[in-house]
Amino acid sequence: MSKFLEVIFISLCTFLFCPSIACASVDIASTNTNTTSSTQGSSEVPAGKYDWNSVMDAIIEVESGGNNRARSGSSAGPMQITPVLVRECNNILRKKNSKKRFKLSDRFSVAKSKEMFLLIQEVFNPLNSIEKAIRSWNGGVHYSVKRTQQYLNKVLEKMR
């Protein structure tokens, strides 16, 4: 019963304080740690209809505390982007016949980092699932729900 009340409370707060998020809110009831697969349901928004800024800003806060020069292992910048992600973005751009390419140094730019995030979402998250976006940013395209639960909770908390 307490989980149900928590979901109602969070939904009500989201609707009252962040109406733009409420229209595309994550199905929090299905994000418990016993879940074995990603939920899609109510967290999906038609392609091109979601403003990712609140999600990206929350990820930046969790990943680097807003420090553009942050580094951790091979990850760098405000969104802690890896060289593998930069290569994947460039592969996507190549397939789109775009002449644009990202450099490793672009990871330190908030604007370029956000561009990479949006490109990844466009290709790997065409239904704009907020939960999938957050989990995959932490755990990759084939993320583990259990291993990304704590990260999801942190990002959602920053979005409030």
Side-chain angles (χ1 to χ4, degrees), residues 64-105:
S64 68
N67 179 0
N68 293 1
R69 307 305 300 168
R71 286 184 168 271
S72 178
S74 66
S75 301
M79 296 184 84
Q80 291 296 284
I81 294 174
T82 63
V84 171
L85 190 125
V86 174
R87 277 194 303 274
E88 183 60 31
C89 287
N90 288 335
N91 288 337
I92 292 167
L93 292 169
R94 196 173 294 110
K95 288 176 186 174
K96 289 178 148 195
N97 294 320
S98 171
K99 292 182 180 184
K100 179 178 181 129
R101 295 294 181 270
F102 290 104
K103 301 174 288 200
L104 287 177
S105 61

Side-chain angles (χ1 to χ4, degrees), residues 14-80:
T14 302
F15 182 75
L16 290 174
F17 300 112
C18 303
S20 64
I21 295 171
C23 295
S25 66
V26 173
D27 184 1
I28 295 172
S30 63
T31 61
N32 81 39
T33 56
N34 297 329
T35 307
T36 57
S37 66
S38 174
T39 57
Q40 299 289 312
S42 65
S43 64
E44 295 176 352
V45 179
K49 300 289 182 190
Y50 187 69
D51 177 2
W52 287 105
N53 283 311
S54 62
V55 175
M56 291 185 291
D57 291 343
I59 287 172
I60 288 170
E61 193 59 35
V62 169
E63 291 286 356
S64 68
N67 179 0
N68 293 1
R69 307 305 300 168
R71 286 184 168 271
S72 178
S74 66
S75 301
M79 296 184 84
Q80 291 296 284

Side-chain angles (χ1 to χ4, degrees), residues 78-148:
M79 296 184 84
Q80 291 296 284
I81 294 174
T82 63
V84 171
L85 190 125
V86 174
R87 277 194 303 274
E88 183 60 31
C89 287
N90 288 335
N91 288 337
I92 292 167
L93 292 169
R94 196 173 294 110
K95 288 176 186 174
K96 289 178 148 195
N97 294 320
S98 171
K99 292 182 180 184
K100 179 178 181 129
R101 295 294 181 270
F102 290 104
K103 301 174 288 200
L104 287 177
S105 61
D106 290 336
R107 300 179 297 168
F108 298 102
S109 161
V110 172
K112 298 279 186 173
S113 294
K114 287 182 174 185
E115 281 183 53
M116 287 186 255
F117 176 90
L118 294 172
L119 184 59
I120 292 295
Q121 296 313 307
E122 179 185 324
V123 173
F124 294 104
N125 188 11
L127 296 177
N128 293 335
S129 166
I130 298 164
E131 179 182 351
K132 184 175 182 177
I134 295 168
R135 287 186 187 275
S136 64
W137 196 254
N138 178 247
V141 178
H142 304 292
Y143 59 83
S144 160
V145 171
K146 186 175 182 179
R147 289 186 186 135
T148 59

